[in-house]
């Protein structure tokens, strides 16, 4: 698996990550969602460099020029509900992309080993021979994304597989490396230290879904 870490490069990712992680700034729910959206757009811009392109000739008012554009828009799939703000950044970048949505949630146990991932909704476009981008802001154990991939793989064969996460844990990265196709790509804003006993990323930023939309029952 090819791993790309945006925070290893200089640029806008660093103030965005700072605001996403700061508990005081997190209280501004609109800003938190907007920062996830901005991070998604930055990762999408990097990911776009790997997609196949074709040259299109355009006639301006003064002359002609050729521009390299993607052969076909990718397909975006995100995990509800936490993925929505992060997904929007990708949707802004790939504005002609088809989109799919998966309802997946974690059932907490007393420790990470007892964590259960359940799926109860899936609306997917045709993924045959398409460039697939799976979007989930927090890559913790990797359980949700692997369940989504198993569902997709049972129905279609994408041309390429890209996973995008705002923040990832090494445990989740390792799980994806073991189960996803060999030539998959993982795009992360930052790779953090480890998971705690409740399978939350450390230092992470907390529960992205709750910070975007409020606590759930």
């Amino acid at each position: 698996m090819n791993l790309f870490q945006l925070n290893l490069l200089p640029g806008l990712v660093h103030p965005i990550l700072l605001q996403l992680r700061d508990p005081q700034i997190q209280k501004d729910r609109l800003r938190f969602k907007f920062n996830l959206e901005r991070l998604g757009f930055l990762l999408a811009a990097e990911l776009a460099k790997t997609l196949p392109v074709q040259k299109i000739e355009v006639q301006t008012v003064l002359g002609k020029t050729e521009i390299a554009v993607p052969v076909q828009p990718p397909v975006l799939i995100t995990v509800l509900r936490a993925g929505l703000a992060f997904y929007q950044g990708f949707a802004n970048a790939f504005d002609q992309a088809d989109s799919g949505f998966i309802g997946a949630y974690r059932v907490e146990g007393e420790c990470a080993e007892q964590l259960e991932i359940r799926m109860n909704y899936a609306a997917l476009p045709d993924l045959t021979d398409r460039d697939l981008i799976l979007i989930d802001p927090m890559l913790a154990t990797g359980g949700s994304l692997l369940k989504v991939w198993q569902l997709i793989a049972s129905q279609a064969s994408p041309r390429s597989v890209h996973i995008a996460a705002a923040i990832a844990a090494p445990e989740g990265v390792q799980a994806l490396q073991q189960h996803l196709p060999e030539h998959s790509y993982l795009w992360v804003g930052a790779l953090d230290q480890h998971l705690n006993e409740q399978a939350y990323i450390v230092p992470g930023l907390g529960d992205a879904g709750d910070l975007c939309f409020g606590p759930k029952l």
Side-chain angles (χ1 to χ4, degrees):
M1 174 180 286
N2 301 281
L3 173 61
F4 175 87
Q5 292 177 241
L6 187 59
N7 69 327
L8 296 182
L9 304 176
L12 293 174
V13 62
H14 299 285
I16 291 174
L17 285 171
L18 172 63
Q19 293 187 26
L20 283 171
R21 294 186 193 270
D22 189 309
Q24 294 303 311
I25 300 177
Q26 287 177 348
K27 294 177 181 179
D28 185 339
R29 190 173 294 173
L30 180 62
R31 180 186 286 192
F32 184 83
K33 288 188 284 189
F34 181 57
N35 280 325
L36 274 180
E37 182 179 326
R38 289 201 296 164
L39 183 54
F41 188 91
L42 292 179
L43 282 172
E46 297 294 335
L47 190 158
K49 298 174 184 178
T50 70
L51 299 178
V53 298
Q54 60 184 343
K55 290 187 176 180
I56 301 294
E57 186 178 87
V58 60
Q59 174 72 55
T60 76
V61 295
L62 297 175
K64 294 181 180 179
T65 187
E66 285 189 339
I67 301 177
V69 299
V71 174
Q72 187 179 31
V75 176
L76 312 178
I77 294 179
T78 193
V79 178
L80 302 174
R81 64 180 174 154
L84 287 175
F86 191 46
Y87 154 85
Q88 190 59 51
F90 285 85
N92 292 344
F94 300 111
D95 57 321
Q96 299 300 310
D98 294 335
S99 294
F101 300 91
I102 299 286
Y105 60 99
R106 51 192 277 168
V107 179
E108 308 287 353
E110 294 183 359
C111 59
E113 289 73 18
Q114 296 179 357
L115 181 68
E116 181 183 356
I117 304 297
R118 296 179 184 174
M119 290 197 311
N120 58 4
Y121 175 80
L124 301 176
D126 185 9
L127 298 166
T128 304
D129 295 325
R130 301 292 299 274
D131 296 297
L132 166 66
I133 306 177
L134 292 178
I135 301 163
D136 196 0
M138 307 301 288
L139 172 55
T141 66
S144 297
L145 286 171
L146 287 176
K147 282 222 170 189
V148 172
W149 169 245
Q150 290 168 2
L151 174 64
I152 291 170
S154 70
Q155 298 181 2
S157 298
R159 192 193 75 85
S160 66
V161 179
H162 301 261
I163 307 293
I167 296 177
E171 294 89 337
V173 174
Q174 183 177 11
L176 296 187
Q177 289 173 331
Q178 293 174 350
H179 296 96
L180 287 182
E182 181 179 356
H183 298 296
S184 302
Y185 296 81
L186 176 58
W187 306 83
V188 301
L191 180 61
D192 276 8
Q193 298 170 11
H194 59 86
L195 297 179
N196 65 14
E197 293 182 354
Q198 288 74 43
Y200 281 95
I201 301 172
V202 177
L205 51 78
D207 189 307
D210 286 1
L211 289 166
C212 283
F213 303 108
K216 55 187 175 295
L217 295 176

PDB file of all heavy atoms in Angstrom, residues 168-171 191-195 201-204:
ATOM      1  N   ALA A 168      -4.941   9.179  11.159  1.00  0.00           N
ATOM      2  CA  ALA A 168      -4.887   7.714  11.186  1.00  0.00           C
ATOM      3  C   ALA A 168      -4.032   7.235  12.344  1.00  0.00           C
ATOM      4  O   ALA A 168      -3.134   7.944  12.817  1.00  0.00           O
ATOM      5  CB  ALA A 168      -4.322   7.182   9.868  1.00  0.00           C
ATOM      6  N   ALA A 169      -4.320   6.021  12.800  1.00  0.00           N
ATOM      7  CA  ALA A 169      -3.495   5.330  13.790  1.00  0.00           C
ATOM      8  C   ALA A 169      -2.704   4.224  13.097  1.00  0.00           C
ATOM      9  O   ALA A 169      -3.184   3.636  12.122  1.00  0.00           O
ATOM     10  CB  ALA A 169      -4.362   4.734  14.897  1.00  0.00           C
ATOM     11  N   PRO A 170      -1.509   3.908  13.574  1.00  0.00           N
ATOM     12  CA  PRO A 170      -0.719   2.843  12.954  1.00  0.00           C
ATOM     13  C   PRO A 170      -1.459   1.515  12.894  1.00  0.00           C
ATOM     14  O   PRO A 170      -1.297   0.750  11.926  1.00  0.00           O
ATOM     15  CB  PRO A 170       0.516   2.749  13.851  1.00  0.00           C
ATOM     16  CG  PRO A 170       0.631   4.094  14.498  1.00  0.00           C
ATOM     17  CD  PRO A 170      -0.778   4.577  14.677  1.00  0.00           C
ATOM     18  N   GLU A 171      -2.280   1.229  13.919  1.00  0.00           N
ATOM     19  CA  GLU A 171      -3.017  -0.033  13.924  1.00  0.00           C
ATOM     20  C   GLU A 171      -3.979  -0.123  12.747  1.00  0.00           C
ATOM     21  O   GLU A 171      -4.141  -1.176  12.127  1.00  0.00           O
ATOM     22  CB  GLU A 171      -3.789  -0.184  15.239  1.00  0.00           C
ATOM     23  CG  GLU A 171      -2.913  -0.321  16.479  1.00  0.00           C
ATOM     24  CD  GLU A 171      -2.555   1.014  17.117  1.00  0.00           C
ATOM     25  OE1 GLU A 171      -2.586   2.047  16.418  1.00  0.00           O
ATOM     26  OE2 GLU A 171      -2.223   1.026  18.316  1.00  0.00           O
ATOM     27  N   LEU A 191      -0.462  10.956  10.605  1.00  0.00           N
ATOM     28  CA  LEU A 191      -0.393   9.617  11.192  1.00  0.00           C
ATOM     29  C   LEU A 191      -0.002   9.786  12.644  1.00  0.00           C
ATOM     30  O   LEU A 191       1.101  10.251  12.958  1.00  0.00           O
ATOM     31  CB  LEU A 191       0.628   8.760  10.445  1.00  0.00           C
ATOM     32  CG  LEU A 191       0.815   7.330  10.949  1.00  0.00           C
ATOM     33  CD1 LEU A 191      -0.478   6.540  10.855  1.00  0.00           C
ATOM     34  CD2 LEU A 191       1.934   6.633  10.174  1.00  0.00           C
ATOM     35  N   ASP A 192      -0.911   9.395  13.559  1.00  0.00           N
ATOM     36  CA  ASP A 192      -0.697   9.626  14.987  1.00  0.00           C
ATOM     37  C   ASP A 192       0.008   8.445  15.652  1.00  0.00           C
ATOM     38  O   ASP A 192       0.509   7.545  14.988  1.00  0.00           O
ATOM     39  CB  ASP A 192      -2.026   9.948  15.653  1.00  0.00           C
ATOM     40  CG  ASP A 192      -2.384  11.423  15.516  1.00  0.00           C
ATOM     41  OD1 ASP A 192      -1.680  12.144  14.794  1.00  0.00           O
ATOM     42  OD2 ASP A 192      -3.387  11.854  16.117  1.00  0.00           O
ATOM     43  N   GLN A 193       0.004   8.439  17.003  1.00  0.00           N
ATOM     44  CA  GLN A 193       0.875   7.535  17.762  1.00  0.00           C
ATOM     45  C   GLN A 193       0.313   6.127  17.917  1.00  0.00           C
ATOM     46  O   GLN A 193       0.966   5.140  17.590  1.00  0.00           O
ATOM     47  CB  GLN A 193       1.142   8.142  19.143  1.00  0.00           C
ATOM     48  CG  GLN A 193       1.876   9.473  19.081  1.00  0.00           C
ATOM     49  CD  GLN A 193       1.918  10.174  20.420  1.00  0.00           C
ATOM     50  OE1 GLN A 193       1.582   9.587  21.459  1.00  0.00           O
ATOM     51  NE2 GLN A 193       2.325  11.437  20.422  1.00  0.00           N
ATOM     52  N   HIS A 194      -0.928   6.007  18.418  1.00  0.00           N
ATOM     53  CA  HIS A 194      -1.475   4.683  18.732  1.00  0.00           C
ATOM     54  C   HIS A 194      -2.952   4.821  19.091  1.00  0.00           C
ATOM     55  O   HIS A 194      -3.491   5.936  19.174  1.00  0.00           O
ATOM     56  CB  HIS A 194      -0.721   4.037  19.895  1.00  0.00           C
ATOM     57  CG  HIS A 194      -0.762   4.843  21.165  1.00  0.00           C
ATOM     58  ND1 HIS A 194      -1.790   4.738  22.071  1.00  0.00           N
ATOM     59  CD2 HIS A 194       0.086   5.770  21.674  1.00  0.00           C
ATOM     60  CE1 HIS A 194      -1.578   5.561  23.078  1.00  0.00           C
ATOM     61  NE2 HIS A 194      -0.437   6.202  22.864  1.00  0.00           N
ATOM     62  N   LEU A 195      -3.601   3.682  19.332  1.00  0.00           N
ATOM     63  CA  LEU A 195      -4.965   3.650  19.849  1.00  0.00           C
ATOM     64  C   LEU A 195      -4.944   3.463  21.358  1.00  0.00           C
ATOM     65  O   LEU A 195      -4.076   2.767  21.896  1.00  0.00           O
ATOM     66  CB  LEU A 195      -5.751   2.498  19.219  1.00  0.00           C
ATOM     67  CG  LEU A 195      -5.988   2.538  17.710  1.00  0.00           C
ATOM     68  CD1 LEU A 195      -6.751   1.299  17.266  1.00  0.00           C
ATOM     69  CD2 LEU A 195      -6.734   3.796  17.300  1.00  0.00           C
ATOM     70  N   ILE A 201      -7.997   7.256  18.660  1.00  0.00           N
ATOM     71  CA  ILE A 201      -6.657   7.632  18.230  1.00  0.00           C
ATOM     72  C   ILE A 201      -6.043   8.614  19.228  1.00  0.00           C
ATOM     73  O   ILE A 201      -6.692   9.561  19.662  1.00  0.00           O
ATOM     74  CB  ILE A 201      -6.699   8.267  16.827  1.00  0.00           C
ATOM     75  CG1 ILE A 201      -7.295   7.289  15.808  1.00  0.00           C
ATOM     76  CG2 ILE A 201      -5.303   8.691  16.384  1.00  0.00           C
ATOM     77  CD1 ILE A 201      -7.560   7.892  14.450  1.00  0.00           C
ATOM     78  N   VAL A 202      -4.777   8.372  19.581  1.00  0.00           N
ATOM     79  CA  VAL A 202      -4.008   9.244  20.476  1.00  0.00           C
ATOM     80  C   VAL A 202      -2.845   9.850  19.679  1.00  0.00           C
ATOM     81  O   VAL A 202      -2.115   9.113  19.024  1.00  0.00           O
ATOM     82  CB  VAL A 202      -3.474   8.448  21.683  1.00  0.00           C
ATOM     83  CG1 VAL A 202      -2.622   9.340  22.581  1.00  0.00           C
ATOM     84  CG2 VAL A 202      -4.614   7.803  22.467  1.00  0.00           C
ATOM     85  N   PRO A 203      -2.663  11.183  19.683  1.00  0.00           N
ATOM     86  CA  PRO A 203      -3.472  12.192  20.372  1.00  0.00           C
ATOM     87  C   PRO A 203      -4.812  12.485  19.695  1.00  0.00           C
ATOM     88  O   PRO A 203      -5.721  12.979  20.349  1.00  0.00           O
ATOM     89  CB  PRO A 203      -2.574  13.431  20.354  1.00  0.00           C
ATOM     90  CG  PRO A 203      -1.723  13.262  19.144  1.00  0.00           C
ATOM     91  CD  PRO A 203      -1.472  11.785  19.030  1.00  0.00           C
ATOM     92  N   GLY A 204      -4.919  12.224  18.381  1.00  0.00           N
ATOM     93  CA  GLY A 204      -6.202  12.349  17.708  1.00  0.00           C
ATOM     94  C   GLY A 204      -6.829  13.721  17.859  1.00  0.00           C
ATOM     95  O   GLY A 204      -6.148  14.742  17.938  1.00  0.00           O
TER      96      GLY A 204
END
